[in-house]
Amino acid sequence: MAKLYVVAMIGLGLALSACSGSRDHKGFVIDPVLADSIQVGVDNKDSVTRTIGRPTFTSQFDPNDWYYVSRDTAQLAFRDPKVTEQTVLRVQFDPAGNVTSVQKTGKELVANVDPSSDKTPTLGRKRSFFEELFGNIGTISQPGLPGSQQQ
């Protein structure tokens, strides 16, 4: 009886540990004191790199826009992770490399994209499964097409 009790407790412990949540940090670790020390008109690309490091990415359209992205997520068991905190630091430079703007945003800009449904909307005629399956019978063997018997 004692063995059964021990086995049951171990099994219950394993089952409950499988439902535990996890927290994760992705991206840049932004030090708020160092990020706030960047000054417009005083700092340049070199001083920003020495202060907070290389950016997470630069803008695809303007290499003078640097982005530092930090995101914390939480996940319970097998559910999708939820964003708990996000910080995006955008540093803009002029063509000479001097800081012109420093902007910080949070998770208010996180966008949730939901798929429309199980079907992909398409343009054109709607055909049933059997029309799709059997609708092209006879169209391949037209004269003049490769694989046809007549030449």
Side-chain angles (χ1 to χ4, degrees):
M1 185 69 174
K3 278 186 168 181
L4 183 61
Y5 181 72
V6 170
V7 169
M9 292 307 283
I10 290 173
L12 182 63
L14 289 174
L16 289 176
S17 69
C19 295
S20 67
S22 66
R23 296 188 180 275
D24 194 16
H25 177 82
K26 296 177 182 167
F28 198 81
V29 178
I30 297 175
D31 184 353
V33 174
L34 293 176
D36 292 339
S37 70
I38 299 171
Q39 297 178 2
V40 174
V42 175
D43 287 309
N44 56 25
K45 287 184 178 182
D46 291 333
S47 65
V48 170
T49 303
R50 283 192 309 270
T51 304
I52 59 175
R54 296 290 303 156
T56 306
F57 63 92
T58 60
S59 174
Q60 185 174 7
F61 303 108
D62 186 4
N64 290 322
D65 286 350
W66 287 7
Y67 293 90
Y68 297 86
V69 180
S70 172
R71 177 181 281 184
D72 293 327
T73 59
Q75 181 177 7
L76 179 64
F78 300 105
R79 294 185 179 176
D80 291 333
K82 303 291 181 196
V83 176
T84 57
E85 188 174 333
Q86 174 174 301
T87 304
V88 178
L89 181 68
R90 178 183 180 194
V91 182
Q92 292 180 295
F93 301 95
D94 62 9
N98 299 315
V99 175
T100 58
S101 172
V102 178
Q103 302 165 352
K104 189 185 290 188
T105 59
K107 77 175 201 175
E108 67 273 1
L109 296 179
V110 174
N112 290 327
V113 179
D114 293 328
S116 61
S117 67
D118 292 339
K119 297 180 182 178
T120 304
T122 60
L123 299 174
R125 199 174 84 164
K126 292 186 179 185
R127 296 173 22 166
S128 70
F129 172 75
F130 291 109
E131 286 175 328
E132 288 287 338
L133 187 62
F134 299 116
N136 289 329
I137 293 177
T139 59
I140 301 297
S141 62
Q142 292 179 356
L145 291 177
S148 63
Q149 300 298 328
Q150 300 175 355
Q151 302 244 346

